[in-house]
Amino acid sequence: MTSSDHQFADRPGPDSEQPDDTVWTVDRIRALGPVTDIATAARIFGLSRAAAYELAARDQFPVAVLRFGSQ
């Protein structure tokens, strides 16, 4: 493996989805404040964005969801 090959060895290919390796500690979650978007809440709970929106639509999301507007 050349040095240029090594430079890109750890990067995912164009067809792969890069995993979210964020570690959500209590302090990081509290730093978000009292309100955050559903996509961030989904990552904290280990859910996909689609699953989070589906749960929210059925009023089954693990925390309270505030709805603004018609969407």
Side-chain angles (χ1 to χ4, degrees):
M1 185 181 297
T2 67
S3 62
S4 62
D5 290 336
H6 182 69
Q7 177 183 0
F8 299 105
D10 295 331
R11 293 186 184 177
D15 295 331
S16 66
E17 187 175 316
Q18 186 172 359
D20 182 10
D21 59 355
T22 303
V23 175
W24 288 101
T25 64
V26 172
D27 290 334
R28 286 198 64 208
I29 294 169
R30 286 185 178 147
L32 292 172
V35 179
T36 192
D37 61 282
I38 199 159
T40 301
R43 287 193 305 269
I44 292 168
F45 286 112
L47 301 170
S48 71
R49 185 175 167 185
Y53 278 104
E54 186 177 320
L55 289 171
R58 294 187 312 207
D59 292 326
Q60 294 178 340
F61 198 70
V63 294
V65 175
L66 305 174
R67 292 177 173 85
F68 297 96
S70 61
Q71 296 185 354

